[in-house]
């Protein structure tokens, strides 16, 4: 018998997200709706709503639910945005962004991960996502500027092309630090100035590319 893990999802929202300060109703609703267990290996489905990241193959991970919610909330999405995501991974975060934005452009450097995520998201009937296998540290110039940019891998510094591709008033969330620990940085662009806020410590896999870590 299949079941959709609805209770586990409700518990995740109630116990992991709300008590830690996730207040954006749209984010809570999306996290309560998206079937996170579909984005992990079947053998891990029973752990999908637990309070930690999980492996998705190719030495990569699907982020902890709270981190997904925290980063999404920081983007202040209203439904009108053009959003760029770097690091598609399993596609789980992509689905959350697609629920909350007008259009999502997502880039992943590991092609088999991108293909798997694309197939799943198409099966789930998302029509507002465009996919690309590429080095996301270079952004996706063709569709810039972006109202929101989410980077789901840790970078040594802010990648210049991503700053350039932010819209006036746009927000970007990105983990910045060394290979072992990072701070979650929120950047807000006002014309040519970039305000930075530290949302707290985190630990991500490496952002690998021209404006990230070397392979
Ligand atoms: N958000 C994903 C999810 O919900 O499953 C998790 C992403 S995982 C923590 C980080 C991803 O970033 C990995 O899949 C990795 O291959 C990818 N990545 C690393 N460097 C990249 C780059 N320069 N461009 C695009 N993707 C990159």
């Amino acid at each position: 018998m299949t079941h959709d893990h609805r209770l586990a999802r409700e518990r995740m929202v109630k116990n992991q997200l709300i008590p830690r300060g996730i207040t954006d109703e749209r984010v809570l609703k999306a996290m309560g709706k998206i079937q996170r267990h579909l984005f992990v290996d079947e053998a891990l489905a029973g752990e999908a709503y637990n309070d930690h990241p999980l492996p998705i193959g190719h030495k990569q991970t699907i982020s902890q639910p709270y981190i997904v919610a925290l980063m999404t909330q920081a983007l202040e999405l209203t439904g009108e945005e053009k959003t760029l995501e770097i690091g598609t991974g399993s596609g789980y975060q992509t689905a959350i962004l697609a629920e909350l934005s007008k259009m999502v452009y997502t880039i992943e450097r590991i092609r088999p991960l991108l293909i798997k995520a694309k197939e799943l998201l198409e099966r789930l009937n998302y029509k507002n996502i465009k996919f690309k296998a590429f080095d996301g540290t270079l952004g996706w110039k063709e569709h810039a500027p972006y109202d929101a940019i989410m980077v789901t891998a840790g970078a040594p510094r802010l990648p210049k092309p991503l700053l350039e591709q932010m819209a006036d008033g746009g927000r970007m969330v990105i983990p910045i630090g060394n290979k072992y620990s990072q701070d979650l940085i929120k950047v807000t662009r006002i014309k040519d100035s970039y305000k930075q806020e530290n949302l707290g410590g985190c630990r991500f896999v490496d952002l690998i590319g021209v404006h990230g870590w070397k392979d």
Side-chain angles (χ1 to χ4, degrees):
M1 192 184 85
T2 58
H3 68 126
D4 86 341
H5 299 251
R6 187 174 50 83
L7 278 176
R9 238 176 350 267
E10 280 173 12
R11 251 182 258 127
M12 172 187 84
V13 169
K14 191 161 154 261
N15 300 336
Q16 299 172 34
L17 308 187
I18 294 172
R20 289 176 180 150
I22 306 301
T23 52
D24 184 326
E25 287 295 336
R26 296 179 75 241
V27 173
L28 294 171
K29 194 168 165 222
M31 300 278 303
K33 172 181 170 186
I34 307 290
Q35 302 190 61
R36 182 173 161 94
H37 60 280
L38 300 179
F39 295 82
V40 299
D41 198 277
E42 224 170 300
L44 295 175
E47 291 182 59
Y49 299 95
N50 293 356
D51 194 14
H52 51 74
L54 287 170
I56 55 170
H58 303 269
K59 298 195 198 134
Q60 304 304 323
T61 53
I62 176 173
S63 305
Q64 178 192 7
Y66 167 63
I67 291 290
V68 171
L70 179 67
M71 291 176 81
T72 308
Q73 176 166 274
L75 290 180
E76 300 170 49
L77 300 170
T78 64
E80 292 305 313
E81 293 77 11
K82 201 200 279 186
T83 299
L84 176 68
E85 179 190 38
I86 312 301
T88 318
S90 69
Y92 173 67
Q93 173 77 76
T94 321
I96 303 276
L97 293 173
E99 290 284 332
L100 302 176
S101 316
K102 184 180 263 177
M103 191 69 209
V104 178
Y105 297 89
T106 186
I107 307 180
E108 170 58 55
R109 67 182 284 276
I110 301 176
R111 189 177 291 273
L113 284 179
L114 185 83
I115 290 170
K116 200 167 166 201
K118 183 170 188 274
E119 282 172 0
L120 176 56
L121 290 164
E122 282 173 358
R123 183 151 64 79
L124 294 175
N125 222 10
Y126 285 98
K127 308 274 189 221
N128 60 338
I129 308 173
K130 296 265 182 272
F131 301 83
K132 184 169 175 172
F134 192 60
D135 172 7
T137 68
L138 297 167
W140 194 337
K141 218 171 165 184
E142 197 186 337
H143 302 289
Y146 299 97
D147 306 300
I149 300 182
M150 175 173 302
V151 183
T152 67
R157 66 194 81 81
L158 293 168
K160 194 158 171 261
L162 298 184
L163 293 172
E164 289 167 354
Q165 291 177 29
M166 290 174 77
D168 186 14
R171 288 84 55 204
M172 170 160 70
V173 190
I174 176 168
I176 300 283
N178 60 39
K179 292 209 170 200
Y180 311 101
S181 78
Q182 302 93 31
D183 286 312
L184 209 47
I185 304 295
K186 174 176 176 180
V187 182
T188 307
R189 177 175 190 173
I190 307 291
K191 300 209 165 70
D192 285 326
S193 80
Y194 295 87
K195 185 183 89 177
Q196 288 188 37
E197 248 171 286
N198 189 338
L199 306 181
C202 56
R203 185 174 182 173
F204 275 83
V205 296
D206 296 348
L207 182 75
I208 296 170
V210 175
H211 297 271
W213 298 100
K214 300 286 160 259
D215 200 355

